[in-house]
Amino acid sequence: MASNIGMMDSAYFVGRNEILTWINNRLQLNLSRIEEAASGAVQCQLMDMTYPGVVPMHKVNFDAKTEYDMIQNYKVLQDVFNKLKIEKHLEVNRLVKGRPLDNLEFLQWLKRYCDSVNGGIMNENYNPSERRTKGGRDRNSRGSQKTTKSLQACNVHNSSSGYTVDLNKMSGQKQGRGSAVVGEANSSEEIQALPKEITDMKLSVDLLEKERDFYFAKLRDIEILCQTPELEDLPMAVAIKKILYAADTKESALEEAQEYLSEAIYTAETEVESEV
C-alpha cells in the first residue's frame, strides 16, 4: 500500500505543476502555488474524494488563514488516517508554515496514495464544489447557533443586573486605559523586533533547505549508480537499495541489508570452497 512508500520512490519525483494540475482537475480549484494548499483543507477533500463520506467536511475550514485554524484541519485529516488505519505521520508544524518543499512532499505522497485506491479512478457522482459548499454551510450554521446562545445569555445577564452593569463598565474603562498604555508599549517593542526574527528564520530555512537538497542529491546519485546494469545485481548494490527503498516506518532496514549482505558473502565463500 502506498501509505508505506520510501523516500526514493518515484512518487517523490512528480513535479509541482503535475501536482497542481491533479488537484485543480479533481477538486475544481484554481491553485497556482503549492503553498496555497498548506491549510490542510485540500488534503481533507482529496481524502473525501477517495473515500466519500469518511471525512466530516463540516469541520474542514477552506478559509483557514491562521495556524490555529490550519491545525484544526490537520486534526481532521489525522483522524481520517487513523480511522482508515493509514500509517502516515503528519509534520503539521512544518506544513502550516507554508514551506513549498514540505507541502510538495506531502502532496506527492497523497497523490500516490489516492492513485493506489481503485486505480485512481474518481467517483463520477462526486461533486467537489457541492461538498465544499455543504461543509461550509453546516459549519457556519453551527457557529451561528453558538453565537445566538451567547448573545441570549449576555442579554439575560444584562437585564437582571440593571445599573450595576453600567457602573462596572465605567470602572473597567478606567482600569483599561492604564493597561492599554502598557500594552501599546510592549506591542511596539515586539513589532520592532519582528523584522530581525523574520530575517533570522528565513536564513535558517534557506540553510536547512540547501542542506536537505544537498543530501537528497547524494542519495539520488547513489541510487543511479546502484541501478547501472553492471552493478545492480551485486550484493552491495542490492543491500544499499534495500535501505533506500525502505518504508518510512521501517526501522530495521539497515539490519536487513546487513543480514542480506552477510548471507550473500557466506554463499559466495561456500561456492568458492566447493569449487576448490
Side-chain angles (χ1 to χ4, degrees), residues 234-236 258-270:
L234 293 179
M236 181 60 75
Q258 290 174 331
E259 183 178 349
Y260 170 82
L261 197 57
S262 298
E263 291 178 0
I265 294 173
Y266 175 78
T267 302
E269 290 177 348
T270 303

Side-chain angles (χ1 to χ4, degrees), residues 2-47:
S3 58
N4 287 326
I5 60 176
M7 284 300 299
M8 299 304 293
D9 190 277
S10 59
Y12 291 108
F13 294 93
V14 177
R16 64 183 63 200
N17 289 333
E18 184 177 344
I19 292 291
L20 289 171
T21 301
W22 174 68
I23 293 173
N24 291 334
N25 290 343
R26 291 300 178 92
L27 302 185
Q28 297 177 10
L29 293 171
N30 190 28
L31 303 184
S32 59
R33 297 183 303 163
I34 290 295
E35 307 92 284
E36 294 177 41
S39 71
V42 166
Q43 292 84 336
C44 285
Q45 189 167 16
L46 286 170
M47 290 302 296

Side-chain angles (χ1 to χ4, degrees), residues 142-196:
R142 296 187 181 196
S144 298
Q145 291 174 2
K146 292 180 181 179
T147 303
T148 303
K149 290 180 180 179
S150 298
L151 289 172
Q152 289 174 348
C154 183
N155 289 335
V156 170
H157 174 72
N158 287 344
S159 61
S160 62
S161 299
Y163 289 105
T164 306
V165 175
D166 294 334
L167 292 173
N168 289 337
K169 193 181 296 183
M170 290 172 64
S171 61
Q173 288 175 352
K174 292 180 180 179
Q175 295 175 357
R177 288 171 188 165
S179 59
V181 174
V182 176
E184 289 177 1
N186 292 337
S187 299
S188 178
E189 293 177 0
E190 292 175 359
I191 292 173
Q192 290 177 358
L194 281 177
K196 185 179 183 303

Side-chain angles (χ1 to χ4, degrees), residues 79 102 120 125 162 216 276:
D79 287 342
D102 290 320
N125 297 323
F216 188 84
V276 175

